[in-house]
Amino acid sequence: MIVVLREGTSTAAGSEIAELLASVSGPGAALQTVTWGTDTLFCLPDGSVTHIELEHLQGHPAVERVESIAVPYQLASRAFQAEKTIVPVGNVRIGGGEPVIMAGPCSVESETQIMAAAHAAREAGSHMLRGGAFKPRTSPYSFQGLGLPGVQLLARAGAAVGLPVVTEVMEPQLVPAVAELADALQVGSRNMQNFPLLRAVGRSGRPVLLKRGFASTIEEWLLAAEYILAEGNRYVILCERGVRSFDQETRNILDLTCVPLLATLTHLPVVIDPSHATGRRDLVLPMSVAAIAAGADGLLIEMHPHPDEAYSDGEQSITPAMLCDLVNRVAAVHSALSGMSGSSGIVEAGGQQSTYLQSGALVASAG
Ligand code: PEP
Ligand code: MN
């Protein structure tokens, strides 16, 4: 349940409205004020308010309206916001109708490597540059990333070619420093339920690329997004990167069903990472094309100037030439499907049409 307050209402502890909400939400409930654009809201767990309390709330002079949301991920839900969220990252708009390609190496390794990757990404027609400097590695003996100096190298490379950059942050304390350098922050699969980190990126002032936990349900994923939204950060991009499967042929199994499904559940844009989903260079192109045909708002792609020499994830990293081919094929699939109503990429959700029929898309290649 979302309680929208009238403009100018004081929500300070001890204020009348805070006391009323605390009393109706019951003991133990986490009551949080959310700033949502120009609105001030309170989210209460659904079902916690009796009919009489609801009437009391609705009649209170400080309350503008009360919205009943039937799903636990309230701010993320289509029921709360029917209009799709378009996330601005630098000069790029994610969710605006044109697929956005974010490409670059798994890890930032050196100035030479990230500069070469940045130029290759730019020349291939990528819209953003990715690169990890804080790496969540399964083994403590694997390359851990260059840390903050790596983020600096990434930011410089992005600026040199005019592409906004996205990079992972793993610790809440490092969020402000990374947010100063990067255009968007990535929360990795292993950290999807690191709640202090979610709150910290929610307060960062930067758009957040939230990867799905490799064993997380869609509801858990949307509730992780809710943590970020509840901090007043409206710009969350969901990234499906494969979930764990019984089959060892691929690194993970790519859940493409989530793309049209999420368009019915949430207003947030969805991108696909076929690199971690498959773990194999040769499968990145076909799954990228399939993701765009399913209506994804973009792709996160591992591309390395010399994939076989990569410090991490070389086997799933494509070459610059493969990225050129991928960008062209994705554009062809998108334009072939974008005029076709009823095609696989079009989902009617809450009276809204997702992805292909949305207008106003502008993804400017910078330069
Ligand atoms: C990555 O993008 O390099 C990464 C570590 O991804 P994930 O969190 O999906 O494993
Ligand atoms: Mn990787």
Side-chain angles (χ1 to χ4, degrees), residues 196-228:
L197 179 65
L198 296 174
R199 288 201 188 277
V201 296
R203 291 191 292 266
S204 68
R206 291 292 186 188
V208 179
L209 182 94
L210 177 63
K211 289 195 148 195
R212 180 181 183 175
F214 55 73
S216 294
T217 64
I218 286 186
E219 186 169 297
E220 287 164 343
W221 188 14
L222 288 171
L223 280 167
E226 189 80 7
Y227 268 84
I228 301 169

Side-chain angles (χ1 to χ4, degrees), residues 106-107 130 135 251 276 302 312-313 316:
C106 176
S107 300
R130 67 145 285 154
K135 297 304 302 176
R251 184 171 177 182
H276 293 87
E302 287 190 341
S312 59
D313 286 349
Q316 68 194 33

Side-chain angles (χ1 to χ4, degrees), residues 184-321:
L185 304 178
Q186 176 174 322
V187 172
S189 188
R190 290 154 193 81
N191 273 314
M192 190 204 83
Q193 286 190 315
N194 180 339
F195 302 115
L197 179 65
L198 296 174
R199 288 201 188 277
V201 296
R203 291 191 292 266
S204 68
R206 291 292 186 188
V208 179
L209 182 94
L210 177 63
K211 289 195 148 195
R212 180 181 183 175
F214 55 73
S216 294
T217 64
I218 286 186
E219 186 169 297
E220 287 164 343
W221 188 14
L222 288 171
L223 280 167
E226 189 80 7
Y227 268 84
I228 301 169
L229 301 175
E231 294 299 324
N233 186 343
R234 304 175 68 164
Y235 295 138
V236 178
I237 306 140
L238 299 168
C239 177
E240 156 67 26
R241 45 77 75 207
V243 288
R244 188 153 281 183
S245 148
F246 54 86
D247 196 330
Q248 299 304 300
E249 290 295 325
T250 55
R251 184 171 177 182
N252 291 290
I253 187 159
L254 177 54
D255 176 14
L256 273 188
T257 308
C258 80
V259 175
L261 177 61
L262 283 166
T264 70
L265 303 177
T266 183
H267 49 84
L268 299 172
V270 181
V271 304
I272 294 293
D273 169 355
S275 309
H276 293 87
T278 63
R280 284 175 47 158
R281 194 178 304 162
D282 60 327
L283 300 180
V284 169
L285 171 68
M287 297 326 289
S288 295
V289 166
I292 296 307
D297 296 296
L299 299 165
L300 183 73
I301 305 279
E302 287 190 341
M303 178 276 296
H304 193 287
H306 305 286
D308 293 331
E309 293 163 25
Y311 289 5
S312 59
D313 286 349
E315 60 295 342
Q316 68 194 33
S317 299
I318 62 172
T319 62

Side-chain angles (χ1 to χ4, degrees), residues 157-170:
V161 299
L163 299 182
V165 300
V166 57
T167 196
E168 179 159 357
V169 58
M170 297 200 294

